[in-house]
Amino acid sequence: IFSAEQQPAYDRMMLTTYFGHRSRERLALTSEDMLCGSGVRLIYGEVASIDRPSKTVSFRAWGEPSSIQEVSYDVLVLATGSDCVVPPIPGYRTGLSCIFA
């Protein structure tokens, strides 16, 4: 798993509750230990390119933005996240804010 953030996946929908308990662990969806125990490698960095014929991914690791590294893969799944979908509410673009969908 490549993560553009410097921590494993966390529950972004519950992020506002962080300010009540200030516990990163309570927002965590997984841990590095759990991923490693499942045979999943977690790389903190940004994907620069994918070479499908050679089955490699080039990336810039956190703290080393000028250095491109490469890792090979057996199976590649692209899960880039998402944007929320705002239902077609009349007038929502005219002053209505704080829409959570």
Side-chain angles (χ1 to χ4, degrees):
I1 295 176
F2 289 92
S3 176
E5 299 187 44
Q6 291 183 305
Q7 61 192 18
Y10 59 92
D11 188 348
R12 285 163 178 78
M13 292 298 293
M14 297 300 292
L15 189 57
T16 55
T17 65
Y18 169 80
F19 298 104
H21 55 71
R22 302 234 183 244
S23 170
R24 193 184 274 190
E25 292 77 27
R26 287 179 57 189
L27 294 177
L29 297 174
T30 188
S31 68
E32 289 185 53
D33 291 338
M34 183 183 295
L35 291 170
C36 186
S38 299
V40 176
R41 182 175 173 195
L42 177 60
I43 299 172
Y44 297 112
E46 183 177 308
V47 172
S49 66
I50 299 169
D51 185 337
R52 291 175 53 201
S54 68
K55 289 188 151 188
T56 58
V57 175
S58 299
F59 67 96
R60 291 178 188 86
W62 276 101
E64 302 175 34
S66 61
S67 173
I68 299 284
Q69 300 178 42
E70 189 175 271
V71 66
S72 61
Y73 64 86
D74 295 319
V75 176
L76 181 64
V77 176
L78 300 177
T80 60
S82 66
D83 291 326
C84 67
V85 176
V86 179
I89 301 170
Y92 82 93
R93 290 208 188 269
T94 57
L96 187 61
S97 62
C98 300
I99 294 177
F100 297 97

